[in-house]
Amino acid sequence: MLAKVVSGANVGLDCVPVTVEVDIASQGLPSFTIVGLADRAVEEAKERVRAALRNCGANFPPKRITVNLAPADLPKEGPAFDLPIALGVLVASGQLESKLDETLVVGELSLDGGLRSTRGILAFAMLAKGMGAKRIFVPKENAAEAAVVDGVQVFSFGNLLEVFQFLTNALEVKPEAPTGLWGREDQVFEYDFKDIKGQQQAKRALEIAAAGGHNILMKGPPGAGKTLLARSLASILPTLSKEEILEVTKIYSISGNMPANRPFITIRPFRSPHHTASYVGIIGGGNIIKPGEVSLAHRGVLFLDELPEFPRMILEALRQPMEDRQVTISRSSGSLTFPSQFILLAAQNPCPCGFLGSPNKHCVCMPGQIARYKKKVSGPLLDRIDIHLEVPAVELEKLTGEDDPEDSKTVREMVEKARQIQIKRFYGEGILTNAEMGSQHIKRYCQITAEGLELLKLAISQMNLSARGYHRALKLARTIADLSESENILPEYVAEALTYRAREES
């Protein structure tokens, strides 16, 4: 007898339908075979399904069982096919009548028949809605995540026996109530702007970066507070919108990085990989292509401490996601594109010892060492960074003085007000921040006064600004104007934006 159960497979950040076909032959030696480009985790489903059926009181037929995962040319991975295979065996063996029309089934089985949490549930729920299915069966632990998607009934179960009883009308299970999305919770951040001594210019630069989504590079000696400033950036980032929550949650769900007991991500990501991280870990990839840190930082911050210590290959690979806001990974098995709209926040020392130019400590580096250290970060990468900031050592008077009266909450309110201006400005344009503007957007939305334009022309000739540097200076000035709630870009905004360009261009 043949049975068919609809499930799905993750391909990148999306989910495609997969039909689980189970055939139990009346002749032939007992066997259990899974075909359809299944990986090791899917192959091992045979033992999980066999044990789960027996421990739930069902009969496992001692016959020739063939499971086909169609389409057969699509690679399948992960344990999400356990539940649909088990239900297919029950239907094909006649122990369960087929009542799985317009139903998408997903879930990992334990040996006792329990249903374990499965990654990528949000994408499965979106697939169910997109293909017109009326309901989706998921593990109980994933119920809240699946219920984020409206338009499809979500039924959650704790074990295989509950699913069987529900399908035979022996157990009543009500669909899950829709899960409402909410923004930032009242969270106490570990780092706050009021605790940072001095560094007023650095805090102003971080405010601009958060408001417009601009990349920033901080240079300074050890102990100046670069890492503290970077960690404090998370406390002034604006609240995620509903669309952004779904984008970020889908990435974390599919990659298996969802926090425990949380149905979705409500706070902007802050990713801080170590400089020994691999290329695949930062950019993404693998035998089965998975998103890397640049995608896990989507709609948030990617913090690279000690920037020159990262391998040159990784730094150069950052150029595409920084420019295109997405990263394309090509392998022999195929090509996938992941979103990577992040704020790059980088920090580095001025030289290997860190004290080049310091008035208090003498630099012990040789000229050749300093030259090699600076060449580790290429010019094209530096040109894609909007804000270049010198972070000097904190003076003793400021270090022992009182806390800054301006806290992160006050700064965050100003940042969110500037973001709302941008969201209103770019409505229908497909972008959300000034940093995402293209040349056409710059012409349309960067209204600059005659005095400001003259100042920018002078900067082009004297600072040797590239075309990219010219556009980035304009976008930065647009953000400064938004923070001041000004419709036009005034000369003082252009002047402030130009102070953040790299000194090497002088």
Side-chain angles (χ1 to χ4, degrees), residues 213 294 297-300 321 324-326 339-343 433 435-436:
V294 296
H298 181 61
R299 299 298 178 187
D324 301 336
R325 312 294 174 179
Q326 61 183 20
S340 58
Q341 170 65 47
F342 58 85
I343 297 174
T433 61
E436 300 174 58

Side-chain angles (χ1 to χ4, degrees), residues 99-116:
K99 295 182 180 180
L100 297 171
D101 297 336
E102 298 181 318
T103 302
L104 191 141
V105 182
V106 58
E108 175 187 351
L109 286 172
S110 60
L111 297 183
D112 63 356
L115 282 171
R116 297 181 181 273

